Amino acid sequence: MLVLSRKVGETIWIGEDIEIVISEVKGEQVKIGIRAPRNIEVIRGELRKDISDSNTEAVIKDLDLFKNMKK
Amino acid sequence: MKLKTAYMGEVEIETKNILKFEHGIPGFEKEKGFVLLPIEENSIFQVLQSVRTESLAFIITSPYAITENYNLELDESIIRALEIKNENEVAVFAIVSLKDTLDNSTANLKAPIILNTTNKKAKQLILDKQAYSIRHQLSLESTKG
């Protein structure tokens, strides 16, 4: 992973059209501004992880529930 | 083509019916092709079977069948990604996590699968700003079918 040190107000560009701005640092919290085209999805990591966990949990283990319903 | 499935043996599918998930879904990023298989007639549930991995399948249902007032706004990113031209070509599904009974089972209303029924492009959309549950219990409202 590429790791860069930045100060408040400094920016990082990713490709030609995504700009990341370090807008505030307060204790353990960092506020980050993201300027990206509207077709780029921006999602917090923990939310994506929750969805990923939920998908993993939803993989069918068996269809007995439906077989029983038919009886 | 013939497809080996996790729970329905070998089925015959048409290539044009394969749903194309360009980036897979979270947790299964390499799974780019799925097909919808009916469980039984008139059921609100269907199986979403991976084309690549025989053992990988999900149950999906219509979020509108299990909850009232499911309001979905498609933003520009998904409209572009799936090349949606008309709202009539959009289908919406929720992934179901089966438990010991259907009443105890849950549906993910926070991250519905959006399908463009015309070009078969699909994506699991994460509704960041809306307060839907990732684990919405099916028994909370009456289920049909």
Side-chain angles (χ1 to χ4, degrees), chain A residues 3 6-7 24 29 36 40 42 46 48 50 53 58 70:
Chain A
V3 178
R6 302 275 68 198
K7 294 189 175 118
E24 189 185 311
Q29 207 168 41
I40 301 284
V42 179
E46 63 272 27
R48 188 173 162 108
D50 286 347
D53 289 350
K70 285 181 191 172

Side-chain angles (χ1 to χ4, degrees), chain B residues 70-73 109-110 125 127-133:
Chain B
Y70 191 65
N71 283 316
L72 191 66
E73 259 186 48
L109 299 180
K110 183 79 175 171
L125 179 65
L127 302 172
D128 195 12
K129 292 175 191 131
Q130 283 159 286
Y132 293 118
S133 170

Side-chain angles (χ1 to χ4, degrees), chain B residues 93-107:
Chain B
F93 303 100
I95 295 180
V96 175
S97 195
L98 289 180
K99 300 289 174 346
D100 55 336
T101 65
L102 266 187
D103 276 357
N104 288 337
S105 300
T106 60

Side-chain angles (χ1 to χ4, degrees), chain A residues 12-20:
Chain A
I12 295 167
W13 281 80
I14 300 172
E16 297 295 319
D17 48 13
I18 300 173
E19 187 185 19
I20 310 288

Side-chain angles (χ1 to χ4, degrees), chain A residues 8-70:
Chain A
V8 169
E10 291 182 335
T11 66
I12 295 167
W13 281 80
I14 300 172
E16 297 295 319
D17 48 13
I18 300 173
E19 187 185 19
I20 310 288
V21 187
I22 308 305
S23 73
E24 189 185 311
V25 179
K26 209 194 268 175
E28 288 196 331
Q29 207 168 41
V30 182
K31 278 193 182 162
I32 295 173
I34 300 159
R35 213 171 272 133
R38 291 184 62 186
N39 61 327
I40 301 284
E41 204 179 2
V42 179
I43 294 287
R44 287 172 294 121
E46 63 272 27
L47 178 55
R48 188 173 162 108
K49 168 112 185 12
D50 286 347
I51 301 302
S52 171
D53 289 350
S54 167
N55 284 344
T56 304
E57 166 192 314
V59 172
I60 307 175
K61 282 112 201 153
D62 61 69
L63 279 180
D64 295 351
L65 204 54
F66 290 95
K67 284 176 193 142
N68 295 340
M69 278 166 63
K70 285 181 191 172

